[in-house]
Amino acid sequence: MLKFDKLSLNIPETTKPRVVVIGGGFGGLNLVKKLNGKDFQIVMFDKQNYHGFWPLLYQVATAGLEPDAIAEPIRKMFDEEYEDFHFRLVRVLGVDPVAKTVKTLIGDLHYDYLVIATGTKANFFGNEQVQKYSFSLKTIPEALNLRSQLLQSFEQASITVDPENRESLLNFVIVGAGPTGVEMAGSLAEMRKHVLPGDYPGLDFSKMKIYLVEGLDRVLPPMSPEASAKTQRYLEDMGVIIKLKSLVDSYDGDVVTLKTGEQIRSQTVVWAAGVTGALIDGLPKESIVRGGRVTVNEFNQVAGYSDIFAIGDIAFMKSEKWPNGHPGVAQPAIQQGQHLAKNLRRLIRKEEMTPFDYFDKGSLAIIGRVRAVADLPGNLHLSGFVAWVAWLFVHIYYLIGFRSKLVVLSNWIYRLFTYERGTRLIIRPFVRKDDKDAEEFVMKNEIG
């Protein structure tokens, strides 16, 4: 057992400016890659030792990909070429801007420049009951929990004699019709048509219902009306039940109640309705805006500080072109990380920093096999097979590591021609803490 009083961050002393990066996502990763360790000592803190390609989490959840296909160890990405780079697997407790220190479970570390790249977490809008019983999809462990829940639901539906219980097991509710919700709904619909009937020949999958609940008046609100309308047609053709202008009031683990009073029996609710910034203690309240984001200027400096920066989803940079800040996707984080690296080098050379200017490369969403939509620069809208190929290319390109690209590409090609999915194994059964019946079932059957 580790004893915290016997642990140390073990970061060597240095005469170079020390840049501390909190978060190994797209922003932090691209910052470090572009920052020369010859000029800086770079320290990265993260609570996990890998970088994940989170846009593909839904495919891990639906057994399309294995977790290691979308993740790469952070230490592996920075070899001997990245001198004076130090990664520590540790949870950050807060920052002290006056003392210029980062506080962790195993000690404090002084910084010259601090970069906050912590991203976002699921936003349940204060609904603790929904948070307790639903499944969010922001990390690999959450995706694996959802995968186990999905497969366990089919296994249990195949042996129950109670029609109401079977209905509850075969109803799946996805809350939020943004890219994650839409892609999750499409993936489940394809499983229902092409995969599950072969795995469970005794089940009538015409009884399996997939609900997509959205509070606004269209699916894919961040994308164009053309992409939204096309996506809705795709989903409806695939048998997804779409409920627009609908908000979830409560969920007790068995029944979803909408604000309209409508109730849906379901034991699996996927929460994709919103995110909030993964904030760090110590920043002044006046720098925090709606959605838990940190206000930054055009140089990504946190309001009120010249030595603290925020990049990626956590950063709120308001401009005439982006009055609500940049979209919460990978590209702003990648570009801000790369640009900040250039500005930090300018700072140590006593040169003026240059403002960040986001180049919007467009948005994509996949609904299913050869079904996708794309909004590209120049007001160009694509759909169908062409958009699907574009989606494949973009996601393969931004995957980290040659092995990941090869594994994912081979999986997708195989599925294109066979409709087959990955290994649908319940390696780690999911049991809610207060579900005594499920705990007893797992124990009696010696699952796991």
Side-chain angles (χ1 to χ4, degrees), residues 133-204:
Y133 290 109
S134 64
F135 292 83
S136 55
L137 201 53
K138 294 293 290 179
T139 67
I140 286 178
E142 289 176 344
L144 291 175
N145 284 342
L146 179 54
R147 178 196 288 199
S148 292
Q149 171 68 10
L150 293 172
L151 297 176
Q152 287 168 202
S153 295
F154 301 131
E155 295 291 348
Q156 292 168 22
S158 68
I159 59 177
T160 185
V161 294
D162 182 349
E164 286 191 357
N165 188 41
R166 186 183 298 112
E167 177 191 10
S168 179
L169 288 163
L170 292 178
N171 282 351
F172 299 92
V173 180
I174 302 164
V175 184
T180 299
V182 162
E183 290 171 350
M184 186 71 194
S187 189
L188 275 177
E190 289 209 321
M191 284 184 72
R192 176 178 60 185
K193 182 176 181 181
H194 300 295
V195 177
L196 297 173
D199 283 355
Y200 305 92
L203 277 178
D204 180 5

Side-chain angles (χ1 to χ4, degrees), residues 435-447:
D435 193 340
K436 301 300 181 184
D437 291 339
E439 288 180 3
E440 183 180 0
F441 179 82
V442 169
M443 290 178 65
K444 285 184 175 180
N445 285 275
E446 297 182 345
I447 298 177

Side-chain angles (χ1 to χ4, degrees), residues 14-45:
T14 182
T15 58
K16 294 184 288 188
R18 177 182 287 156
V19 179
V20 177
V21 184
I22 307 176
F26 287 110
L29 204 67
N30 280 273
L31 167 70
V32 174
K33 282 189 169 185
K34 294 295 183 180
L35 208 55
N36 190 342
K38 294 179 181 178
D39 300 323
F40 299 91
Q41 183 187 73
I42 307 166
V43 180
M44 175 178 282
F45 293 139

Side-chain angles (χ1 to χ4, degrees), residues 1 4 116 170 177 207 219 226 296 300 312 363 415 428:
M1 179 181 294
F4 285 100
I116 300 171
L170 292 178
K207 302 290 180 65
V219 301
E226 292 88 347
V296 298
N300 283 99
S363 302
R415 284 165 49 188
R428 185 186 66 186

Side-chain angles (χ1 to χ4, degrees), residues 53 56 69-71 394-401 404-405 408 412:
F53 191 77
L56 293 180
I70 68 165
V394 167
H395 284 69
I396 288 292
Y397 180 81
Y398 284 107
L399 273 173
I400 304 297
S404 294
K405 297 176 191 288
V408 173
W412 283 341

Side-chain angles (χ1 to χ4, degrees), residues 33-318:
K33 282 189 169 185
K34 294 295 183 180
L35 208 55
N36 190 342
K38 294 179 181 178
D39 300 323
F40 299 91
Q41 183 187 73
I42 307 166
V43 180
M44 175 178 282
F45 293 139
D46 203 309
K47 59 186 177 182
Q48 56 198 23
N49 75 333
Y50 55 86
H51 167 79
F53 191 77
W54 304 143
L56 293 180
L57 273 175
Y58 80 95
Q59 293 207 13
V60 174
T62 54
L65 292 172
E66 292 305 312
D68 60 352
I70 68 165
E72 195 80 7
I74 291 175
R75 291 182 182 278
K76 183 181 176 182
M77 300 179 199
F78 301 104
D79 53 23
E80 294 81 4
E81 295 180 13
Y82 293 87
E83 63 178 74
D84 217 356
F85 168 77
H86 308 273
F87 172 76
R88 295 295 180 264
L89 177 65
V90 66
R91 183 181 295 274
V92 171
L93 301 178
V95 299
D96 185 340
V98 176
K100 298 186 66 168
T101 57
V102 177
K103 301 177 180 180
T104 79
L105 283 170
I106 57 175
D108 299 349
L109 185 68
H110 179 270
Y111 64 81
D112 293 292
Y113 301 105
L114 174 64
V115 181
I116 300 171
T118 48
T120 58
K121 59 184 179 179
N123 187 1
F124 294 92
F125 306 100
N127 194 323
E128 294 181 1
Q129 188 191 46
V130 170
Q131 182 174 356
K132 179 179 179 180
Y133 290 109
S134 64
F135 292 83
S136 55
L137 201 53
K138 294 293 290 179
T139 67
I140 286 178
E142 289 176 344
L144 291 175
N145 284 342
L146 179 54
R147 178 196 288 199
S148 292
Q149 171 68 10
L150 293 172
L151 297 176
Q152 287 168 202
S153 295
F154 301 131
E155 295 291 348
Q156 292 168 22
S158 68
I159 59 177
T160 185
V161 294
D162 182 349
E164 286 191 357
N165 188 41
R166 186 183 298 112
E167 177 191 10
S168 179
L169 288 163
L170 292 178
N171 282 351
F172 299 92
V173 180
I174 302 164
V175 184
T180 299
V182 162
E183 290 171 350
M184 186 71 194
S187 189
L188 275 177
E190 289 209 321
M191 284 184 72
R192 176 178 60 185
K193 182 176 181 181
H194 300 295
V195 177
L196 297 173
D199 283 355
Y200 305 92
L203 277 178
D204 180 5
F205 281 97
S206 67
K207 302 290 180 65
M208 175 179 165
K209 295 180 181 178
I210 303 164
Y211 295 87
L212 184 60
V213 180
E214 169 57 48
L216 298 179
D217 60 355
R218 63 187 180 95
V219 301
L220 282 184
M223 294 187 69
S224 67
E226 292 88 347
S228 174
K230 192 70 175 181
T231 298
Q232 183 164 341
R233 286 197 294 272
Y234 281 146
L235 289 171
E236 289 174 343
D237 289 344
M238 298 168 77
V240 175
I241 302 169
I242 300 173
K243 293 187 173 294
L244 301 176
K245 298 182 182 179
S246 299
L247 298 172
V248 172
D249 183 58
S250 64
Y251 176 55
D252 61 4
D254 188 54
V255 177
V256 181
T257 303
L258 305 182
K259 294 285 188 182
T260 58
E262 181 182 357
Q263 293 188 327
I264 304 169
R265 291 179 55 83
S266 175
Q267 294 187 28
T268 307
V269 171
V270 181
W271 190 262
V275 295
T276 186
L279 289 170
I280 293 177
D281 289 340
L283 295 177
K285 292 182 180 179
E286 55 267 26
S287 68
I288 312 301
V289 297
R290 183 181 176 186
R293 302 173 80 183
V294 180
T295 303
V296 298
N297 62 14
E298 67 270 30
F299 309 115
N300 283 99
Q301 290 170 310
V302 173
Y305 299 98
S306 61
D307 54 1
I308 303 179
F309 301 82
I311 58 176
D313 292 354
I314 191 72
F316 176 75
M317 184 187 292
K318 185 176 181 179

